[in-house]
Amino acid sequence: MAWSRPVGWILDNLVYRTTVAGRSNVPTGGPVIFAGNHISFLDGPVMFGAAPRPMHILVKQEMFRGFLGGVLTAAGQLPVDRRRGRAALQRCRNVLDAGRCVGILPEGTRGSGDASGINGGVAWLALQTGAPVVPVAILGTRQGSEHLDSVPRPGRRLHVNFGRALTLAAHAGESGRASMDRAAQEIRAALAGHVQDAIELSGQRLPVSNDPQDVAAVAGTPADDH
């Protein structure tokens, strides 16, 4: 990912004007799961460019075709087949076990970005690997009533805020499913609260929700059927 880190910096600092807060909240070593809210297809690249550490981001498998697919593979991004999420989760686990970082957009679909619901993949990874989860608020990549597929004009002000790391573990006597559900709820609450804090800090509001039937499935998490 050595060459792709500068590309992320260019996106955040030359194409757009990105204000970054909370970098000191990111552990400087060991595995980390970055969990960001999701409002635009640019959220992953913007988070990648703003983070103080390189990460492997889950990207939907359909993007790994042709020239773009080669670029994504060379940049170290991880394909996810939403119909078969276990394989992607295992790849992420291997990355985390090696002490590296994974970026996930656990809402799973582009929407208002308020983290009102998340899929369970991020909770499974946190429990299986012990990696801390850093909530990431991404604001400005879509505004107002802009369409889900809209591309922000160059020069727009974006905001990325890294929250305090959250470490999760199973409780004694707790079933696997109960642990998963509790961990997912803790992550959802942490991300939702952090997004609201970032809104107050930056003054940048979330976009208006689109009609649910128009919400597009995107890279982020496998279904929580594991």
Side-chain angles (χ1 to χ4, degrees):
M1 291 183 289
W3 67 268
S4 57
R5 291 279 288 163
V7 173
W9 185 91
I10 289 171
L11 177 69
D12 280 349
N13 295 279
L14 297 184
V15 179
Y16 300 107
R17 296 178 298 152
T18 304
T19 298
V20 182
R23 282 196 178 104
S24 62
N25 289 324
V26 178
T28 57
V32 173
I33 301 169
F34 292 91
N37 66 320
H38 202 11
I39 57 179
S40 164
F41 68 88
L42 275 182
D43 296 331
V46 167
M47 179 171 68
F48 180 87
R53 295 180 60 186
M55 70 179 80
H56 302 265
I57 299 179
L58 282 175
V59 180
K60 64 181 179 180
Q61 183 171 280
E62 291 79 3
M63 300 296 290
F64 284 79
R65 297 174 180 170
F67 176 76
L68 177 59
V71 171
L72 290 172
T73 300
Q77 309 316 318
L78 302 175
V80 54
D81 182 346
R82 291 173 58 83
R83 298 167 300 177
R84 302 180 182 87
R86 291 178 182 271
L89 284 175
Q90 188 57 54
R91 283 193 291 270
C92 288
R93 182 176 181 174
N94 293 342
V95 167
L96 293 168
D97 286 344
R100 302 200 296 273
C101 303
V102 167
I104 300 179
L105 304 171
E107 290 176 287
T109 58
R110 285 167 284 173
S112 65
D114 61 357
S116 58
I118 66 171
N119 291 337
V122 63
W124 185 87
L125 283 172
L127 290 173
Q128 292 296 316
T129 67
V133 178
V134 173
V136 186
I138 305 163
L139 304 171
T141 52
R142 191 163 61 85
Q143 298 178 345
S145 59
E146 289 178 337
H147 191 272
L148 289 166
D149 295 328
S150 63
V151 179
R153 289 190 299 178
R156 175 180 289 184
R157 174 67 68 183
L158 309 179
H159 298 271
V160 181
N161 193 314
F162 297 92
R164 293 182 179 178
L166 176 69
T167 301
L168 300 140
H171 292 172
E174 190 176 48
S175 70
R177 173 51 64 181
S179 294
M180 278 271 296
D181 291 344
R182 175 183 52 79
Q185 178 57 27
E186 290 184 26
I187 294 170
R188 189 211 64 78
L191 179 56
H194 180 61
V195 168
Q196 292 304 314
D197 290 343
I199 290 171
E200 294 182 11
L201 178 67
S202 67
Q204 174 69 63
R205 304 185 68 82
L206 291 171
V208 176
S209 296
N210 291 87
D211 189 307
Q213 68 181 7
D214 293 332
V215 175
V218 294
T221 54
D224 54 353
D225 58 348
H226 34 270

